[in-house]
Amino acid sequence: METIVMSKNGPPEVSQKMEQERGIPTNNEITEAFAELERAVYAALETYSNVHRGSGHNSIVTTHLFEQARDIVLEYLGMGKNKYTVIFCTPRRAEALKEQLEPQSFQCVSSHNIGLPLGVWALAVKREALPKGAPMQSGGGTTKLVSRDWVIWADAPDKFEAGTQAIINVIAFAKALRLIQKFGNDIFRNPVTEKMTASEILYHDELEKYSGQEMLDELRKTLIGRDVHVPTMEGARPFINLDNSASTPTFTTVWNAFRHSWRQPTQIKQEIIHEVKSICAEVLGAPLDVYDVVFTSNTTEAINLAADSLGHEPNDGIEPVVLNTLLEHSSNDLPWRMITGYSLIRLSVDAEGFIDLNKLETLLSAYNQKKPHGKKRIKLVAISGASNVLGICNNIEEISRIVHKYGAHMLVDAAQLVAHRKIDMEKCGIDYLAFSAHKVYAPFGCGVLVVRKGLLHFNLEELELIQLSGEENVAGIAALGKSLMLLQRIGMELIYKEEQALTKQALLGMAQIRGLKIYGVKHPESPGFVHKLGVIVFSIDGNMPNRVANEMALWSGIGVRSGCHCAHIIIKHILTIPPFIERFQRLIQTMFPKLRLPGLVRVSLGIGNSREDVDTLIQVLGKIAKKSQISGKRYSKYPPKGTPTLSQVHVQQQINDFTKHAALRVYSQQ
């Protein structure tokens, strides 16, 4: 390994002597390094899923790759993992965290300084030096347990990595560090490539002649990982991703936009940023003369940005209030609790998850017109466009009309909405909208805050830093733009019809399974069904949710999510957990932090799913439910007749081997 010179404010640099010995990389070496990097990232995409919280094979593999990336950073910096932990950040978040640390307590290395536009900064921090208390940014992944009034924060590094990280970008970054050790520090600074225009990257591809149903059919054929088989108790089977609400896989055309972008000169990268802002404006009905488009790392960072801005607003003698609902993801709840001088109130929801518009108007009228609450005024209504738990879409246009009638602004958490429904921000009067590319088939670490002009209250220097931080991930921005264009070519109305058909099939099949309980909209005949996404949460009598999810993976290679889905308040509400049990949970979580608490299993559909996927889902849930009805006997003794099965222990060992092999494909040197 090279001699490393440590730098407090930037990445380590290979010593001058070693650089002189190695010399300037040749074109062949540069080509080889980029080819190896692209091969490794593509391999990671073949088994991509969200980290830590999913149950399927892909989540296990991706979690392993993500955590191994921390070890690779420490190895590159020459630091021990017993003493240090690695926190992956955006540039802006990294600078803010460094301000809270002693200069000698950390080292930093970034993708920018090695020549890749990934927006990844890695801080290796002494564990004993990490800040205590609440994190700078809060939301999904930063907590262990959330109540309406209190929070138990997660341990490091999770506490400092708000929202879904740029997982693939982090893996690419770690792989690049290993390649730098082989080829030298400058290997990615001057890529050998054919120059492409922003238009060629974003608008032109092998599918551009298609549209509508034909486009959707052809696009599905390019789903990366669709041919990967995983070990199950019924032998090797194709992996079935039913965890699209957590994160989505991607397609070859989106991957191509990502990899082509990181090879382009600065001028083309700037053109890509400008063009993707225009794409966002068009797709979201947010004209650029009315709205600003700000790139972030994810939805969580976008909402934290809006909350920070709100805290800078003058309040003119009032006591400002944010109103949201019991339905919200932690990313649209916790940031509003953190604003100094603000209070947060929540609107309840019915059994299906819909808010009562009359109650909304009553609240706004009371606070902002009749004023029985003294100086308290509702300044902002922050609401999910679609629930990540119950899958329902509230009437945003009507909510907006009521909100603006009483002089408040409206923010929509559209993380679950953009990939599934048509949005028109100007028509609906939406003031702020936040979403993530990794839920829109572009899992490359880009988030977006679209905000009405004049509503961001930062000085010019702060605004510039905010913009530069998000725009450092040019490759992720390009992938988002490409993905939005693909969805537009298919047509959101067609996507709606396709996903409704699959959701109907799933609900009807699951309703026939004895012992299985669906929460929220339960039947396609319900009036609320037309406002429901392909998100279904359920429980099976006699089974903890994590066990059900694990058995779905072991039996049929299905990846889902179980637990509280970063939406603890609505989960406890629909499970009718009383306050004294909630307090007991807090005690248990404090004493036994690894203990799993009650929750629900979630199935979430996307455009990559098929009727066959839903058939398999219904079959395996039927098996699991039947197993629970065989009192005192092990299910593995009662497989369906004629079905060859392996033991769970055997399959679990195969999954471990599968994970190790996948990691070797990514991180080993070819």
Side-chain angles (χ1 to χ4, degrees):
M1 185 184 297
E2 300 91 334
T3 303
I4 301 292
V5 177
M6 306 305 293
S7 169
K8 181 182 76 172
N9 296 315
E13 296 181 358
V14 180
S15 69
Q16 184 178 8
K17 178 181 178 182
M18 292 300 295
E19 279 299 291
Q20 289 171 348
E21 290 177 359
R22 175 173 282 119
I24 299 172
T26 67
N27 285 350
N28 285 341
E29 288 176 325
I30 293 170
T31 300
E32 181 184 348
F34 269 99
E36 172 60 16
L37 179 61
E38 290 178 5
R39 183 207 60 77
V41 176
Y42 188 89
L45 287 170
E46 289 184 304
T47 52
Y48 170 75
S49 185
N50 202 5
V51 297
H52 302 304
R53 305 168 199 131
S55 62
H57 303 68
N58 282 13
S59 182
I60 294 169
V61 172
T62 305
T63 298
H64 183 80
L65 290 170
F66 184 71
E67 292 303 323
Q68 194 174 346
R70 299 189 204 276
D71 294 341
I72 291 172
V73 170
L74 290 175
E75 170 193 296
Y76 179 77
L77 292 169
M79 305 167 86
K81 62 181 179 180
N82 291 331
K83 188 174 182 181
Y84 291 87
T85 189
V86 171
I87 299 167
F88 292 114
C89 306
T90 60
R92 182 168 175 258
R93 200 184 302 178
E95 291 301 329
L97 182 55
K98 285 196 284 186
E99 289 178 3
Q100 299 185 45
L101 299 170
E102 293 296 326
Q104 302 306 317
S105 67
F106 69 91
Q107 297 291 339
C108 179
V109 58
S110 79
S111 58
H112 174 74
N113 284 34
I114 65 172
L116 291 172
L118 301 173
V120 175
W121 285 49
L123 263 65
V125 185
K126 287 183 179 177
R127 295 178 184 275
E128 61 190 33
L130 289 165
K132 309 297 183 185
M136 296 171 297
Q137 292 188 353
S138 57
T142 62
T143 66
K144 293 180 181 177
L145 190 62
V146 176
S147 172
R148 301 187 193 202
D149 304 312
W150 48 261
V151 176
I152 298 178
W153 298 107
D155 298 324
D158 293 348
K159 185 172 81 168
F160 303 102
E161 295 178 341
T164 298
Q165 284 293 301
I167 298 165
I168 292 296
N169 298 37
V170 165
I171 293 169
F173 174 58
K175 178 66 177 183
L177 292 182
R178 287 210 158 160
L179 289 169
I180 282 173
Q181 292 174 335
K182 177 180 179 181
F183 291 105
N185 257 18
D186 293 332
I187 194 65
F188 297 113
R189 295 188 191 279
N190 297 292
V192 178
T193 185
E194 180 182 350
K195 185 176 177 182
M196 300 177 69
T197 66
S199 178
E200 287 173 328
I201 291 171
L202 296 170
Y203 299 112
H204 300 295
D205 55 69
E206 63 275 15
L207 301 179
E208 60 185 290
K209 62 182 178 181
Y210 301 111
S211 63
Q213 185 66 56
E214 194 175 19
M215 171 69 184
L216 180 55
D217 293 341
E218 292 298 320
L219 184 65
R220 283 172 173 158
K221 296 176 185 177
T222 73
L223 184 70
I224 297 177
R226 68 191 296 267
D227 296 324
V228 173
H229 283 60
V230 297
T232 77
M233 294 176 70
E234 298 175 354
R237 301 186 59 162
F239 178 77
I240 298 175
N241 176 46
L242 295 180
D243 195 17
N244 291 281
S245 285
S247 196
T248 49
T250 194
F251 303 96
T252 302
T253 47
V254 179
W255 156 240
N256 286 338
F258 179 79
R259 69 186 184 90
H260 288 319
S261 297
W262 68 22
R263 292 171 175 256
Q264 300 305 315
T266 300
Q267 179 185 346
I268 301 301
K269 290 174 183 175
Q270 290 303 310
E271 290 175 6
I272 289 170
I273 293 168
H274 176 78
E275 197 60 36
V276 176
K277 287 184 178 182
S278 296
I279 291 172
C280 289
E282 179 183 354
V283 171
L284 301 172
L288 292 176
D289 60 338
V290 179
Y291 293 93
D292 290 318
V293 176
V294 181
F295 294 116
T296 63
S297 61
N298 50 39
T299 305
T300 301
E301 187 175 47
I303 294 176
N304 273 271
L305 183 61
D308 290 345
S309 171
L310 203 63
H312 285 76
E313 284 189 24
N315 290 321
D316 301 323
I318 69 166
E319 297 174 12
V321 176
V322 172
L323 170 65
N324 69 8
T325 76
L326 299 183
L327 204 63
E328 307 308 317
H329 188 282
S330 292
S331 294
N332 198 30
D333 174 66
L334 296 177
W336 310 117
R337 305 193 199 188
M338 312 296 284
I339 312 175
T340 303
Y342 275 70
S343 57
L344 176 66
I345 58 175
R346 299 181 184 89
L347 192 63
S348 190
V349 296
D350 66 20
E352 292 187 330
F354 295 100
I355 69 170
D356 185 324
L357 296 180
N358 291 325
K359 288 183 179 178
L360 171 66
E361 183 152 18
T362 298
L363 265 175
L364 282 160
S365 174
Y367 275 86
N368 291 9
Q369 189 177 72
K370 297 177 182 177
K371 305 175 184 177
H373 301 285
K375 294 182 178 181
K376 289 191 174 182
R377 303 287 182 270
I378 296 174
K379 290 193 69 172
L380 180 74
V381 175
I383 190 167
S384 59
S387 167
N388 74 310
V389 173
L390 296 174
I392 61 89
C393 306
N394 276 294
N395 188 337
I396 295 298
E397 188 169 1
E398 183 60 16
I399 292 170
S400 176
R401 183 192 66 78
I402 296 169
V403 167
H404 289 97
K405 176 181 176 181
Y406 294 96
H409 288 121
M410 185 171 77
L411 178 143
V412 174
D413 172 0
Q416 300 292 333
L417 193 64
V418 172
H420 308 282
R421 293 290 191 275
K422 174 67 177 174
I423 299 172
D424 192 325
M425 289 186 65
E426 188 173 37
K427 179 183 176 183
C428 291
I430 299 171
D431 299 300
Y432 308 79
L433 183 138
F435 73 101
S436 289
H438 78 94
K439 297 183 191 290
V440 193
Y441 308 101
F444 301 102
C446 178
V448 183
L449 177 65
V450 185
V451 53
R452 196 178 297 276
K453 286 184 180 294
L455 289 184
L456 283 186
H457 296 275
F458 298 101
N459 61 44
L460 291 177
E461 183 179 356
E462 287 175 317
L463 276 174
E464 184 178 2
L465 289 174
I466 289 166
Q467 290 170 341
L468 289 174
S469 178
E471 292 173 7
E472 192 171 295
N473 182 17
V474 177
I477 292 169
L480 169 63
K482 187 68 173 185
S483 185
L484 291 176
M485 290 307 302
L486 295 175
L487 295 179
Q488 191 174 56
R489 285 188 215 163
I490 296 168
M492 298 310 298
E493 185 61 29
L494 175 60
I495 291 172
Y496 168 74
K497 290 178 180 178
E498 288 273 322
E499 293 181 351
Q500 282 265 289
L502 292 178
T503 307
K504 179 179 179 179
Q505 179 190 355
L507 287 175
L508 290 175
M510 293 168 72
Q512 303 304 311
I513 299 173
R514 183 181 171 189
L516 187 150
K517 181 178 180 180
I518 298 170
Y519 296 81
V521 175
K522 298 178 174 64
H523 198 279
E525 298 303 317
S526 166
F529 179 71
V530 295
H531 305 295
K532 180 176 175 63
L533 305 181
V535 176
I536 304 169
V537 287
F538 64 94
S539 60
I540 295 180
D541 290 346
N543 287 269
M544 288 291 286
N546 61 303
R547 183 177 177 182
V548 173
N550 187 52
E551 291 191 348
M552 292 170 73
L554 288 171
W555 269 101
S556 297
I558 295 175
V560 295
R561 172 96 184 267
S562 66
C564 290
H565 312 288
C566 293
H568 297 220
I569 295 174
I570 187 62
I571 290 289
K572 287 185 276 191
H573 175 73
I574 61 182
L575 290 177
T576 62
I577 294 176
F580 77 92
I581 293 294
E582 189 175 41
R583 290 192 294 271
F584 180 68
Q585 286 181 339
R586 183 182 186 180
L587 176 64
I588 292 297
Q589 184 63 50
T590 303
M591 295 175 63
F592 306 100
K594 294 188 184 235
L595 186 68
R596 290 183 179 271
L597 297 173
L600 295 171
V601 186
R602 182 185 69 191
V603 164
S604 50
L605 302 161
I607 62 173
N609 292 123
S610 65
R611 294 186 64 84
E612 291 74 21
D613 292 343
V614 177
D615 285 339
T616 303
L617 166 71
I618 294 167
Q619 290 167 9
V620 74
L621 291 178
K623 294 175 186 177
I624 294 169
K626 185 176 181 180
K627 175 255 320 188
S628 297
Q629 296 155 23
I630 302 174
S631 177
K633 299 178 181 179
R634 291 180 61 84
Y635 182 42
S636 58
K637 294 182 180 179
Y638 295 88
K641 291 182 179 180
T643 302
T645 61
L646 301 170
S647 71
Q648 290 192 12
V649 173
H650 188 182
V651 174
Q652 191 59 63
Q653 182 57 54
Q654 288 186 339
I655 292 173
N656 294 341
D657 293 341
F658 177 81
T659 301
K660 292 175 184 177
H661 177 69
L664 284 173
R665 289 180 64 221
V666 173
Y667 288 133
S668 65
Q669 303 289 6
Q670 296 293 304

